[in-house]
Amino acid sequence: MRPLQIGILNVMHDKAATNARFTKVLTHAGRPVALHFYYPKTHYPSGAPAEVAAILAPLDLAAAERMDGFVITGAPIEQLAFADVTYIAEVQALMAALAGRAVPQLYLCWGGMAALDYFYGIEKHLLPHKLFGVYRERRLAPAPLLAGLPDEFYAAHARYAEMDRGQIEADARLHLEATTASGELLLVDRPEANQTFMFAHLEYGREGLLHEYQREVTAHPERQYLRPAHYFTDPQTMSGPQFRWEETQHVFFDRWVDRVWAKREAKEVSA
């Protein structure tokens, strides 16, 4: 069986760990998958550091258009205006190329924000405090990418911003399929346009939220950061992180890979 070719634009801070996470979640379903990891060239105007160039290739739009599916990751820059992101034009060129060739697209966290802004003009706003922790989710509509999950399921969130829910609901092209129990975005889907927007960090493993907290504290020890909520067995000592979104992770990524596979099969039959 010919492997699926899936491209990933990795704009996360921990690039090697991110590569490992996506390798794990996108191969969980057992389908043959070949992953191609990229970085935006305009992020490194003087050339990518050696540690980046060793594990990521410079983004190639022609290669991206030939992929069976493509993922744009989150990035810890959601507090920046899109215009202030040095590589936003390159990301938008990638999104336009993928949409133009009808490549199935998965946009995660900041990637989902940038895509909703670019394609649909949905506005971003900062949250009063970081949405950080493990939250109970609820389905608002049939959600094929979440099919098989129990009524009560969980996801790991880590973001400082949110997209305008009212604008999403007012756009008939977009399907808001799931939110947290308190109404923050989880999943927006538009399968007929090959676009999926996921606002949780479902790719994180058990210790992903802990590592994110530690990264922020290490970078700015003078600041007070919220600890991830509903996550530790003992919140006082921050011990015993619980992987309550593991089932959600498996179901979502397995079903997205299945969707990409079905899309490729249908394309080959019609060719």
Side-chain angles (χ1 to χ4, degrees):
M1 257 188 309
R2 184 167 60 88
L4 282 179
Q5 305 296 315
I6 296 180
I8 300 171
L9 186 69
N10 181 350
V11 288
M12 288 288 281
H13 57 283
D14 53 348
K15 300 191 185 309
T18 296
N19 281 10
R21 290 180 189 127
F22 280 102
T23 299
K24 182 176 181 179
V25 300
L26 293 175
T27 60
H28 176 267
R31 293 194 183 276
V33 176
L35 301 179
H36 306 266
F37 294 95
Y38 298 98
Y39 66 86
K41 291 179 285 189
T42 48
H43 189 34
Y44 305 105
S46 300
E51 64 271 18
V52 172
I55 60 172
L56 305 177
L59 180 62
D60 179 339
L61 293 184
E65 290 178 342
R66 295 193 295 269
M67 295 292 164
D68 297 310
F70 210 97
V71 179
I72 296 182
T73 72
I77 54 173
E78 67 268 27
Q79 292 171 289
L80 290 177
F82 293 117
D84 293 335
V85 177
T86 58
Y87 51 85
I88 192 64
E90 190 173 3
V91 171
Q92 290 173 342
L94 171 61
M95 293 189 291
L98 296 172
R101 294 299 295 268
V103 177
Q105 306 138 57
L106 175 56
Y107 299 106
L108 298 173
C109 204
W110 178 84
M113 297 179 193
L116 285 177
D117 167 77
Y118 176 71
F119 288 116
Y120 304 101
I122 306 299
E123 296 177 359
K124 181 181 71 170
H125 62 265
L126 295 181
L127 293 168
H129 55 77
K130 186 178 185 180
L131 181 68
F132 193 32
V134 184
Y135 296 90
R136 185 165 53 86
E137 312 294 328
R138 59 174 180 153
R139 273 179 284 255
L140 305 180
L145 293 174
L146 301 175
L149 286 172
D151 291 339
E152 185 170 283
F153 64 100
Y154 294 87
H157 293 261
R159 65 180 185 273
Y160 287 94
E162 182 76 306
M163 302 306 284
D164 190 287
R165 177 172 171 174
Q167 288 183 303
I168 293 170
E169 292 179 315
D171 193 321
R173 297 170 294 177
L174 296 172
H175 311 289
L176 177 58
E177 295 183 345
T179 67
T180 67
S182 53
E184 293 87 7
L185 298 178
L186 176 70
L187 177 61
V188 178
D189 202 13
R190 192 185 173 199
E192 64 275 12
N194 303 294
Q195 294 173 340
T196 301
F197 314 85
M198 166 55 68
F199 293 93
H201 276 286
L202 292 182
E203 79 279 9
Y204 277 7
R206 181 185 302 275
E207 296 186 337
L209 294 174
L210 174 60
H211 291 163
E212 178 162 334
Y213 173 78
Q214 291 170 334
R215 173 183 61 83
E216 289 190 319
V217 170
T218 299
H220 295 284
E222 75 283 3
R223 299 179 186 175
Q224 293 292 321
Y225 286 100
L226 290 175
R227 297 178 176 185
H230 321 300
Y231 176 49
F232 298 109
T233 302
D234 184 346
Q236 290 299 112
T237 62
M238 292 199 304
S239 62
Q242 302 174 76
F243 196 5
R244 290 197 288 171
W245 66 96
E246 183 176 17
E247 183 180 13
T248 312
Q249 176 190 95
H250 292 331
V251 167
F252 174 78
F253 285 109
D254 287 0
R255 300 215 181 290
W256 185 75
V257 169
D258 286 345
R259 177 182 285 183
V260 175
W261 189 274
K263 174 77 175 180
R264 189 181 73 178
E265 286 192 329
K267 184 178 179 180
E268 290 176 346
V269 167
S270 64

